[in-house]
Amino acid sequence: MGCCESIVKTFLFATNLLIFLLSCAVVGLGFWILFDRPSLVNLLDQTEATIPIYDSAVILFLIVAFSAIFVSFFGCCGAYKESRCMLGTYFLLLLCLLILIVVGTVIGFSQGIDSIINPLKDTLYMYDETSSRVDVKEITQLWDEVQTDLRCCGVESARDWSQQNPRYNGEGYIEDQGAILMGPKVPRSCCATSAEQGRCMRSPSGKNGAYMVGCYVLLSQQISDHINIVGGIATAVIAVMVINLLIALYMCTCALTEDTDVLGRPTKRNYTRTAGYGRP
């Protein structure tokens, strides 16, 4: 193997090390996204809507990342041994992983986060502090936690409550802490820091201490950041994989000389004995 081929071999080894490091980063990132998903996204479990980056896409990325760690080790061995068999297998495995990660990237970016607005608004209708149903109590608790922790109200704004939930259309009443509250327009969790919560619930405004910013508005940036981080690392992995595919193909077809067999061992040469050689 000449100087150029040695450089290619070293470069393949180095890029496989880079794939190994990037794959480890994807594994860590995948688990971070799974366990750090916004609490508002948990409300989607009660609907048919999903965000791919927290569902199918991240699972696919984790599968590809774990597989890439194994494949990168295989590629390093193939480059070190200069084995056509190992490099050919590495090429096929890497090609399959490349297809999977491209599919995962497409899935992750295929659905805009705006598509979750309506499903989230649908959950507002089920909010009822007096209900004994398990699913309704869960949704009610989730909305109270989200609005209290993030200091937000509704999906896009506080007006969502009066538009989506008849209990808060300003014309009815609710049981609030053992008393009857007439004409509420938002739940108590939208007025958690208000000095006069009853007044705030009947007339939600910033002056009365109500949270006027929608929860989706606050969380959309966090979701977008997760998507951008995953997309950036996935793009880097795809670029390195394409380079490695080309290098592995070159080494399989051109770089390895005929003096090396498929297992990377020197081939045996057949020598013909010259007439009279070795005879006295």
Side-chain angles (χ1 to χ4, degrees), residues 73-194:
F73 177 77
F74 202 86
C76 288
C77 292
Y80 178 78
K81 295 289 187 179
E82 299 178 11
S83 168
R84 279 195 179 94
C85 180
M86 294 185 71
L87 287 173
T89 304
Y90 168 74
F91 176 87
L92 294 176
L93 293 175
L94 195 62
L95 181 61
C96 293
L97 288 181
L98 180 61
I99 294 173
L100 285 177
I101 197 171
V102 169
V103 170
T105 304
V106 171
I107 292 175
F109 285 90
S110 62
Q111 181 180 350
I113 58 176
D114 291 344
S115 61
I116 69 172
I117 293 179
N118 289 332
L120 285 175
K121 287 184 176 180
D122 291 340
T123 64
L124 296 179
Y125 178 81
M126 299 181 65
Y127 183 98
D128 185 358
E129 293 178 318
T130 62
S131 175
S132 59
R133 286 177 49 183
V134 176
D135 57 340
V136 174
K137 290 176 66 176
E138 183 177 358
I139 287 178
T140 301
Q141 182 179 0
L142 284 172
W143 268 116
D144 285 340
E145 290 177 356
V146 169
Q147 294 183 147
T148 302
D149 294 343
L150 299 180
R151 298 192 173 189
C152 57
C153 188
V155 179
E156 293 183 286
S157 70
R159 290 189 299 272
D160 292 334
W161 285 105
S162 61
Q163 296 171 355
Q164 302 294 327
N165 193 320
R167 302 176 188 84
Y168 297 97
N169 60 7
E171 299 176 358
Y173 67 92
I174 61 171
E175 295 182 15
D176 183 66
Q177 297 183 350
I180 300 298
L181 180 66
M182 302 298 296
K185 293 183 178 180
V186 295
R188 180 173 292 275
S189 54
C190 286
C191 303
T193 58
S194 175

Side-chain angles (χ1 to χ4, degrees), residues 23-95:
S23 299
C24 291
V26 171
V27 170
L29 182 64
F31 283 114
W32 171 59
I33 289 177
L34 282 177
F35 293 105
D36 190 47
R37 50 185 269 168
S39 54
L40 188 62
V41 178
N42 294 330
L43 286 165
L44 294 177
D45 294 339
Q46 307 296 329
T47 70
E48 296 181 357
T50 60
I51 302 178
I53 195 63
Y54 298 109
D55 189 19
S56 54
V58 69
I59 299 299
L60 187 56
F61 279 133
L62 286 173
I63 294 174
V64 171
F66 279 117
S67 302
I69 291 174
F70 166 75
V71 172
S72 62
F73 177 77
F74 202 86
C76 288
C77 292
Y80 178 78
K81 295 289 187 179
E82 299 178 11
S83 168
R84 279 195 179 94
C85 180
M86 294 185 71
L87 287 173
T89 304
Y90 168 74
F91 176 87
L92 294 176
L93 293 175
L94 195 62
L95 181 61

